[in-house]
Amino acid sequence: MTTLTQEQLQDIQARNPEAFKQPLLKRFAAPTAVVVCVLYTIYCFWFFSISKTVSEGNWEIAGNYLADWISYEVRPDVNYSTGEIEIEWRRFSPLGDDPEPDWIETFTGPVTILTEVEVEAEAQTPSAPDLSNSFMSPSSPATSSGSGAANSFMSPNSSATSTGSGGDADEIGEPETTIIEERRDGINRAVVDFGGGSQIVAIPDLVVVTHAGEALEIEVDPIGGVVTPRSELPEWALQKTEGAKVFIDFGFDGRAEVRSKEVKVARRYLGWENFVFDTQSPYWGMSFTQVVGHLFTGPQLREDMSNWSLMWDNIVNNAEWQHGDVWIKLLQTIVMAFVGTLFACILAFPLSFFAARNITPNFFVNQVLKRFFDFLRSVDMLIWALFFTRAFGPGPLAGISAIFFTDTGTFGKLYAEALENIDDKQREGVKSVGASPAAVQRYGVVPQVLPVFASQALYFWESNTRSATIIGAVGAGGIGLKLWEAMRTNQDWENVAYMVILILIVVFLFDGISNALRQRLIGRTH
């Protein structure tokens, strides 16, 4: 390896000054780009108030939403408003119609039942005025003198005085509320166990919450509607205003609200409740071994249906998960993406030949078609979906039309640009043998662009499967509408997770198929 001397380096630099003296912009291009990116990031951070958004974000609610994707809650209410404790269950409980979980224990003893009764106040008669010292009194000299004093209009017995303002009809008072107490035996204590030493003990006038090694006593007044903690609240408890309900956070295990008349409990369990069979199915609550035993050895659970048919019917028509409806909506989404993409390819293919300058050398036709493509693809697919939902009503037809319009513009542009970049030698070779214009396009152009066209169509078919989910949420049908309905309830996040997983499986499957077909089309086998 030869080492250049200083003189040789100077000589080379003198003969090639442009190679050693780059412009100032080129020399500082890299650090300038870094500084610009940093400044732009700071600007975006300030303009969108990212720090404020992060600091004021309700991350606890977001965490609960994420937990709901992989778990479910059982929500009993411990009601003590009457003085006796009653465990109330919401309709369609995950535990069935008459749940008796082992984590709720009740105890019986003497209770005092408090009942509010409205009683009408007794009638009150106004007392007569004292006339003993009045000149109108019967004993007064003024009234006792004269023979007609007894029948005078000023006499107390006179009809004239008996209808005066002091003699109005009896007045009825406002209804009063009376509390009636009844002593008898009943449920006077309930214990809700959250596991790990966390529990809630409720008696009619006191709720004791134990969590993280701490105990919190809360006095409750069902009549006055007041909730009063006896000590300072720990970190896992919150009371927004004095006398209001107290929120209890047990972490992933659940939560509770201590109110004046009841404790609302939400006990969380990992998994998806009743995913295979709902609570109305005869298979509900059976183990896998028991289900298999009924399928093969009986006894028959329904006279009009075999155990196999009953099992499949219960799975498909699961009232809580609606598997059959979800699968049909997912199939609608796939069909929407396929049909919309196919129709767009069919229409864009011939139009792209007229839009390509080298195929159709007509400036007016080229520009009209290219602007038409720009118009179709400049309007977002979601906007087209809203338009066609108004035109055709909710359903897959609106989704197919939205995909068709958007992709026609996209395919038209891509196909026209691919045609304008073909190798003219093939076309000229076919033309030199006297082939017709149609044959020139068929044998000189199509073989060059067909793999590109097909590859792009396959890619957009896979992409439109995802897009069809979004446009379905605005009424264009498919699983997107089902997904939006589950999200609007703000409670069925496990159903949302189920549908998202189905969509991911379909997208992954189509992505693999699309990649394999594209590889074969462009001549790669590995």
Side-chain angles (χ1 to χ4, degrees):
M1 182 176 178
T2 305
T3 304
L4 297 177
T5 62
Q6 186 66 28
E7 292 79 6
Q8 290 174 326
L9 289 174
Q10 292 177 354
D11 181 62
I12 294 174
Q13 184 176 357
R15 286 187 286 109
N16 303 280
E18 67 281 355
F20 292 90
K21 292 183 180 180
Q22 293 183 346
L24 185 64
L25 184 60
K26 285 186 177 181
R27 280 186 287 171
F28 294 97
T32 302
V34 172
V35 171
V36 169
C37 290
V38 170
L39 292 176
Y40 183 72
T41 302
I42 295 173
Y43 168 75
C44 292
F45 200 85
W46 165 80
F47 185 78
F48 294 107
S49 302
I50 295 177
S51 60
K52 182 180 179 181
T53 303
V54 172
S55 61
E56 297 181 359
N58 202 332
W59 299 106
E60 182 179 355
I61 293 180
N64 290 335
Y65 285 165
L66 291 176
D68 288 340
W69 282 48
I70 58 173
S71 62
Y72 66 97
E73 290 181 339
V74 180
R75 302 186 182 99
D77 296 336
V78 182
N79 191 308
Y80 40 75
S81 59
T82 63
E84 181 180 11
I85 292 178
E86 182 181 0
I87 307 299
E88 299 176 346
W89 296 91
R90 301 184 182 184
R91 192 180 179 189
F92 306 122
S93 170
L95 302 183
D97 295 332
D98 190 19
E100 293 182 0
D102 57 1
W103 46 274
I104 296 181
E105 189 176 4
T106 57
F107 300 87
T108 304
V111 296
T112 302
I113 306 299
L114 304 178
T115 306
E116 293 185 8
V117 179
E118 287 189 356
V119 180
E120 292 186 0
E122 296 182 357
Q124 299 176 356
T125 304
S127 58
D130 185 9
L131 301 177
S132 58
N133 297 322
S134 172
F135 75 94
M136 293 183 291
S137 172
S139 60
S140 173
T143 58
S144 61
S145 63
S147 59
N151 297 323
S152 171
F153 74 94
M154 293 183 291
S155 172
N157 296 326
S158 171
S159 61
T161 59
S162 64
T163 59
S165 61
D168 289 344
D170 293 346
E171 296 181 359
I172 300 176
E174 295 293 331
E176 297 179 353
T177 301
T178 301
I179 299 177
I180 300 177
E181 294 186 358
E182 177 189 355
R183 299 182 182 275
R184 59 180 173 83
D185 285 341
I187 300 176
N188 62 358
R189 186 161 66 102
V191 179
V192 182
D193 185 17
F194 282 82
S198 300
Q199 66 176 12
I200 297 176
V201 179
I203 59 177
D205 57 355
L206 181 67
V207 176
V208 180
V209 183
T210 305
H211 179 59
E214 299 179 88
L216 173 64
E217 295 183 351
I218 305 173
E219 295 181 359
V220 291
D221 182 6
I223 303 300
V226 179
V227 179
T228 308
R230 288 182 174 177
S231 59
E232 186 178 352
L233 295 178
E235 293 182 356
W236 40 266
L238 172 66
Q239 187 178 36
K240 294 183 178 179
T241 58
E242 184 178 355
K245 58 187 176 183
V246 177
F247 297 90
I248 308 297
D249 183 15
F250 293 102
F252 185 82
D253 294 329
R255 51 193 168 83
E257 295 179 9
V258 180
R259 303 187 179 188
S260 60
K261 296 183 178 182
E262 63 183 352
V263 177
K264 288 189 169 294
V265 176
R267 181 78 159 83
R268 187 182 296 278
Y269 287 92
L270 189 65
W272 290 345
E273 81 281 13
N274 306 329
F275 181 73
V276 181
F277 303 110
D278 61 26
T279 57
Q280 304 304 317
S281 170
Y283 288 103
W284 181 76
M286 292 186 183
S287 64
F288 178 77
T289 305
Q290 291 174 321
V291 172
V292 173
H294 277 81
L295 293 177
F296 289 99
T297 61
Q300 190 168 342
L301 298 175
R302 279 182 54 175
E303 296 181 357
D304 59 336
M305 189 179 296
S306 68
N307 287 348
W308 284 91
S309 300
L310 179 62
M311 181 195 69
W312 177 249
D313 178 75
N314 291 164
I315 293 174
V316 172
N317 298 314
N318 187 312
E320 297 182 28
W321 291 90
Q322 304 176 4
H323 295 300
D325 193 32
V326 170
W327 298 341
I328 290 175
K329 293 295 190 295
L330 181 62
L331 181 61
Q332 284 183 356
T333 300
I334 297 172
V335 172
M336 283 166 50
F338 176 76
V339 175
T341 306
L342 178 63
F343 286 176
C345 289
I346 293 174
L347 181 60
F349 182 79
L351 293 181
S352 63
F353 281 83
F354 293 98
R357 294 189 303 269
N358 56 338
I359 305 297
T360 305
N362 187 310
F363 179 80
F364 177 76
V365 174
N366 298 152
Q367 292 302 312
V368 167
L369 284 174
K370 287 184 176 180
R371 300 296 77 79
F372 174 67
F373 294 151
D374 290 341
F375 165 71
L376 292 179
R377 66 189 181 87
S378 63
V379 179
D380 190 78
M381 189 180 296
L382 187 63
I383 307 301
W384 283 121
L386 291 170
F387 174 79
F388 287 114
T389 301
R390 289 294 186 92
F392 304 136
L397 182 59
I400 291 172
S401 302
I403 295 173
F404 167 65
F405 267 57
T406 305
D407 280 6
T408 297
T410 304
F411 285 147
K413 176 180 174 58
L414 294 175
Y415 290 178
E417 291 180 351
L419 289 169
E420 290 176 349
N421 291 304
I422 62 171
D423 185 5
D424 281 336
K425 293 180 180 179
Q426 263 186 301
R427 191 169 58 146
E428 293 298 332
V430 176
K431 189 185 297 184
S432 65
V433 298
S436 63
V440 170
Q441 311 307 327
R442 166 64 182 84
Y443 297 102
V445 176
V446 172
Q448 297 186 62
V449 296
L450 187 59
V452 177
F453 286 7
S455 177
Q456 291 171 341
L458 288 170
Y459 171 77
F460 274 88
W461 172 49
E462 172 225 325
S463 176
N464 287 335
T465 304
R466 299 188 299 269
S467 301
T469 302
I470 304 302
I471 63 176
V474 299
I479 199 171
L481 184 59
K482 197 77 177 174
L483 188 67
W484 174 242
E485 290 174 353
M487 294 178 68
R488 282 197 305 174
T489 63
N490 211 22
Q491 295 178 349
D492 300 324
W493 291 101
E494 64 273 18
N495 297 72
V496 174
Y498 169 51
M499 286 182 274
V500 167
I501 290 175
L502 288 179
I503 294 169
L504 287 175
I505 292 173
V506 170
V507 170
F508 290 161
L509 181 63
F510 284 6
D511 180 63
I513 295 173
S514 176
N515 284 334
L517 292 175
R518 285 202 301 269
Q519 295 296 329
R520 291 183 64 88
L521 286 170
I522 62 178
R524 296 178 184 174
T525 57
H526 300 288

